[in-house]
Amino acid sequence: MPVSLLWAVDVYGRVYSLSTAGQLWEQCHDAQMEFKRVTAAQQCCWGIACDNNIYLNVHASDLPVRYQEETYENQRWNPIDGFSDRLLPSDRWQWSDVTGLQHQPLDNFRIPSDSWEWEGDWYADENFEGEPTEKGGWTYAIDFPATYTKDKKWNSCVRRRRWLRYRRYKAMDTWAKIPPQQTTLPDPFSDISCGGWEINEEPRGRLSLWAVSLQGKVWFREGIYHHNPEGSFWEDIPLPGEVVQISCGPGDLVWAVLWEGQLMVREGISRDCPKGTTWAVVDSPNPDVGATHVAVGNNVVWALTKDNKVWFRRGVNSHNPCGSGWISMVGEMIMINVGLNDQVLGIGSQDRAVYFRQGVTSSELSGKTWRAITVPRDGDRSHSSASAGSLAGCYFCGEVRAQSVVSDVESDTEKGSTDGASCLVASSSPERNPSPGEEEIKAPCAGVAISPSQSGGPLDPQWSNVDLEEAQGHPVQTGAVLDSADTCSLSSVATYTLAMEDPYGADEHPLWAWVSGGGCSVDSHSQLNWFNCSMNSVQSMNLSVTPAQTAAWRRQIFEQLSERTKREIDNFRHYEQAIEQSVWVKKGTMQWWRDWKPHKWIDVHFALEQFSGSEGNKDGILFIYYNFYEEKKYLHAFINEVTILVPVLNDSKHSFAIYTPERTKQRWPIRLAAATELEMQDWLALLSDSCCDSRVIQGPPSKQAIWSVTCKGDIFVSEPSPSLEAMPYPSPCDQMFWRQVGGHLRVVECNSVGIVWGIGYDHTAWVYTGGYGGGIFQGLSSSTDNIYTQVDAKSVYIYENQRWNPVSGYTNRGLPTDRYMWSDASGLHECTKTNMKPPSPQWTWVSDWAIDYSVSGGTDREGWQYAADFPASYHGYKTLKDFVRRRRWARKCKLTTTGPWQEIPPISLSDVTILPCAAQSSVDVVPLWAISNKGDVLCRLGVTTLTPAGSSWLHVGTDQPFKSISIGAASQVWAIAKDGSAFYRGSVSPQSPAGDCWYHIPSPAKQKLKQVSVGRTSVYTVDENGNLWYRQGVTPSYPQGSSWEHISNNVRKVSVGPLDQVWIIADKVQGSQSLSCGTVCHRLGVQPMEPKGQSWDYGIGGGWDHITVRGNSMEPPRIHLPSLTAPAPQSPLPVRNKEVNGDAVGC
Amino acid sequence: MADDKDVLRDVWFGRIPTCFILNQDEVTEREAEPYYLLLPRVSYLTLVTDKVKKHFHKVVRTDDVEEMWLEYEGTPLKWHYPIGVLFDLHASNTVLPWSITVHFKNFPDRDLLHCPSNSVIEAHFMSSIKEADALKHKSQVVNDMQKKDHKQLWMGLQNDKFDQFWAMNRKLMEYPTEEGGFRYIPFRIYQTMSDRPFIQKLFRPVSPEGNMHTLGDLLKEMCPAALPNDGEQKRYQVVIHGIEPLLETPLQWLSEHLSHPDNFLHICVTPVPSD
């Protein structure tokens, strides 16, 4: 789990945050003023301060908030001046936006608020559609508006160029006032709630922010997204009543509480309309007691009534935001909040502690019990000392004073309350604080009209909500006002005086006023240390590197055990062993995908016989006993010949595949299925152990290891033999032995000093911890330390297909020849919302089906894509020729496993690369570059062998998003932009780890590149049509090279290692029995003078998706054939290479 | 850094070099050669001394042969204690190899249990495992196991198959994370200076306040004499598997990693040798 924050405000208005990994409430020292309420998202926190202004605290990230301003300079040619800024009267502005309609001179651009700063000055963009332009960035056309080209032609009468300037949001990790509205709002805000980030992913970082004003009006903040964190303006949302409090969930739920105690539900919230359209009213859970507070999540609504009872709303979802009924829950709360994953937080009415609802899962949204968060706060000492006097009342004092001139009555009330309280003030201080809050409630009641619903209450609603939590908390604590039917009569003076006898007479534990879990990523798997600070010693042993692991007692045991071995065994190894080793057999029944046609699963007996091998290592044979036309036969494989065991989980079979070199050549593994998942895992773990034993492989992978990932996300690692890259006879790569490592990744990248990073399907970045095992490998085949929970998520897609007919338009009635109306992408298989299962039993659904708008080619507003017929190319708008349409539905699923991986929050990545060659020492910084999943180029700082996770990201500016990156052994950084062209980063060196500028390198003709890998000197790329390209002419003085040379087709990915060895994932590799896609292949014949190699050797596959050989810097033993021992080969190898060769000669 | 898993291996593969010598009083047909063997610390004497028996049978007059029993410096060795415990308790400061005297006569019925066959050892071993699991998990884990699983544990020990044994024993070592450990720690404290065979009482791995109990906590409650008083010279050494863990070692960790295959943590308290 990434570390995230829970935010809370105490009754003194101080803001605190609690980390999910922490055990201390940390005060937000930046806050100069007191806050009333906060509402958090993962990237920021909003708050209402006691000056009634709204403040925003954007969490610092290594990825800056950077906004690209652009404007166009337009020129027309005339015979006298040539191109000049003298345009025709009918022309566009000389400085305009891209359409030419808006006048945009450079000095019209202003930074929107004090929280922004300019990053540099304006400059002309030299890049045009992935191609460098002539000097100046001008593009030419016949006239405005027209198609622009980068070359000037004889008929080019106009030209334009784009100017760019970046501004940066600088107010990170600090409370910045959001800029005031042009027309100031009529009254100050009293409640605020943000959410809605799951409604629409575009634009990135979009948020809905709802606010309630003191007069009970509701406002919606427009235009909040990543590049505009403050939003643009407030929009008034019409209301049928007066609202006291509002809550907005991560999705499309928005509920509000009305003064009269009913609840309102916002309907019509959708992707295109995050504000929603109408309100529906829901009655209070208890007809006699009005609702006072509501909190919504993704699929839940919790509410409080005035008697502090807690209620859970049944049956709430996107289609029915109102839900179906109330369920009374245990506990008495004065405030409640729903955080991420529908986790619930509350503030107890009795003790004002923050409570966490334990046991909330997607299947049990109401959870199990309330548990108080008992961690201490930093500065607790100052709390007790300060609270005694002056500070105690400051929470609302500024405001109260401002309003207190209203009437005489007010001063009376004030006196009353103070009098009532005074007797206890001496002994206990915090009670002073409610008093001003309460007087403020009282204050206006004399002057302003009474709202009709308040039968006896002489109070004006618009004031009391300022201090809602106070006002409603106290009556119930004392029970004094409960019985009054009046909804918001709030506290009386008497209740306050009574309340003072309450637990917080003694100033021992913090009193909380508000909590927000909107940024707090906790789920049912999370291990939180919030509840009992002393209970963690055992768990921490397993969970993280703690002092427990380096503790003296542990060291002592390790040392003494090794001394004992020396003392008692080492000198006596020639003694006979008391117990002789023997054969151990494990048997079972399984199903086998039989070798002969028709292929099908048949029942077989399965046995593994293990015995001591010739050199003392263990070995074994596995037997598959089957019946062939009534005849008993068996198939066997030697454990020491097995090269890999691959789990193949799907929803019907718990199966796995066993490969030997022979089976790899055939592309036809032994496939076996166990009866249950558990049985399969037992067998896999046992067989895997047995294989590792027979090859004497144990513990973590070496630094030279080759890592690969299957299309199911399973991770495999192979120890390269020194002869793997030998010339001219490398060891065949179908003989490589692969063993599985726990975890689930899409990409893994490593280097030769043992730094390994991975990227999950959900783009989370992970760093390898040095452990082994995890996943199905438990017990002995797994390290105890360094194994962590890993969560991954992905979407499953199905398509809804429709055909047009003249009568009813588009319907789900297709032609008899048509595809299924609900299908997979190919249309060949029927996939409906109900029959679709998660990809394997490991995955569970975490969302409902939703229309996916992010399909390539675009969609219309309902997500449809149109075409003339199935199958065809689809477009996102309807034309007259279109007779069919389809739309994609997505459903998210999640997998939880374990493995030697630790998350590197918070930035999601799409690619990563690590400098492949060896670092000199463990403190040497290793260059690591990455692409965020939004296309930003990032450079990781502080990566060393001791701290492989590094410390922070350095953002490297680009003018367009990128998708692939690779750094070579000499710090050559190559990258591929989203438009398919390549870039070379100049001047990257240890002194300047981020380099200075990008050099644009055109892609091979008519091809869009998609991936790059750079070895010692070689640069290889793969394009979107599966072609593998080698960069010709790369020299130290001209590192960009000169041209692309085609090497191969049917290539999915390439990995070039520190020896310039080339490995790929290839599609369509023909075996003797079957064809495989996604096969690991090794380029043969690669030599310093022949870096392109000659042919391919085929290894494990299919179903492989990624490989990295960048850890293997082991120079092969050089075989001196007589003909090749001629005088020194004229190789341009660096010196380092020779040294290694020197060592290797002895081999 | 070494892994906790290595501790399990080290414990399992602990061996004591032993020299078996035939008792002088036995009537032999010819000179009896001593017999040298590496004894597994975690096993039982009668389970691993078949070879010894065969070796001496060759020289002893057959009509004199009764049940074999072993003795070290006058102390008959109880076969139902793990070998490592016997060594740590009686011979930890001896010069290696450990010299054990073999008897075929005058079986000391008062001191030793008879061990007519391996099934007696198996019954003893399995009852220890069950007793330990009763303490750790109210017997839930061991009762959930099938007969063949029990057999796997025993066969693992009998045949010295670490993987086979731990594939099953792993389940006996699990506990709910939120509890922080087993219900009670199965332990036995042996003292040479006491007449009681050993101390075994109920002791929880976690204190009511939620702190992890340590080896020191256990000894303080069960055997305070073993702990040195302030400023005093250490009088006793606390030995588990031939090593002396620090007193601040968490008891739960010890129980998971330094228990014998019978799932008990066998702790030997012996006087510090005076040299």
Side-chain angles (χ1 to χ4, degrees), chain A residues 68 72 81 96 98 135 210 298 322 353 362 417 426-427 522 569 642 663 748-749 783 898 929 1138:
Chain A
Q68 177 186 284
Y72 284 84
D81 306 313
S96 74
V98 65
K135 216 168 164 54
W210 297 77
N298 261 327
C322 294
S362 54
S417 73
S427 65
V522 172
I569 303 180
V642 171
R663 294 267 169 183
V748 63
E749 279 295 326
S783 49
T898 56
W929 291 62
K1138 285 187 185 146

Side-chain angles (χ1 to χ4, degrees), chain A residues 599-672:
Chain A
H599 298 297
K600 64 174 186 181
W601 291 103
I602 58 170
D603 291 332
V604 294
H605 289 278
F606 188 80
L608 171 66
E609 284 187 13
Q610 281 184 287
F611 46 82
S612 295
S614 46
E615 287 118 30
N617 57 327
K618 275 190 257 169
D619 206 344
I621 309 176
L622 56 90
F623 295 93
I624 295 161
Y625 300 95
Y626 60 92
N627 287 319
F628 184 73
Y629 299 112
E630 309 295 313
E631 189 187 346
K632 284 193 172 157
K633 293 189 137 200
Y634 74 91
L635 178 85
H636 73 279
F638 289 98
I639 284 295
N640 63 19
E641 286 182 347
V642 171
T643 54
I644 190 168
L645 302 154
V646 190
V648 189
L649 283 172
N650 59 37
D651 55 358
S652 55
K653 284 274 179 222
H654 311 282
S655 72
F656 58 96
I658 301 173
Y659 282 89
T660 60
E662 188 53 33
R663 294 267 169 183
T664 303
K665 284 191 186 78
Q666 294 169 352
R667 304 283 151 207
W668 190 262
I670 301 171
R671 287 191 57 194
L672 292 160

Side-chain angles (χ1 to χ4, degrees), chain B residues 75-168:
Chain B
T75 313
L77 296 173
K78 295 183 170 68
W79 65 263
H80 61 283
Y81 289 2
I83 293 167
V85 172
L86 294 171
F87 179 78
D88 292 341
L89 201 59
H90 303 301
S92 56
N93 300 303
T94 186
V95 178
L96 291 172
W98 184 22
S99 182
I100 293 180
T101 309
V102 179
H103 294 261
F104 287 100
K105 284 192 295 196
N106 307 325
F107 192 90
D109 291 298
R110 241 161 37 94
D111 296 313
L112 298 184
L113 297 171
H114 283 282
C115 179
S117 75
N118 281 359
S119 61
V120 178
I121 314 171
E122 179 180 356
H124 166 72
F125 172 71
M126 287 315 300
S127 75
S128 290
I129 285 196
K130 286 174 186 167
E131 184 181 351
D133 199 55
L135 294 167
K136 289 199 283 193
H137 309 106
K138 297 183 180 174
S139 301
Q140 277 160 359
V141 179
V142 79
N143 287 346
D144 280 352
M145 287 182 175
Q146 297 174 352
K147 186 82 189 124
K148 70 176 171 69
D149 299 337
H150 291 176
K151 204 76 189 169
Q152 183 168 337
L153 288 167
W154 165 245
M155 296 298 278
L157 178 76
Q158 177 172 268
N159 298 327
D160 193 26
K161 297 287 185 195
F162 174 75
D163 295 328
Q164 183 181 354
F165 176 82
W166 269 98
M168 201 46 67

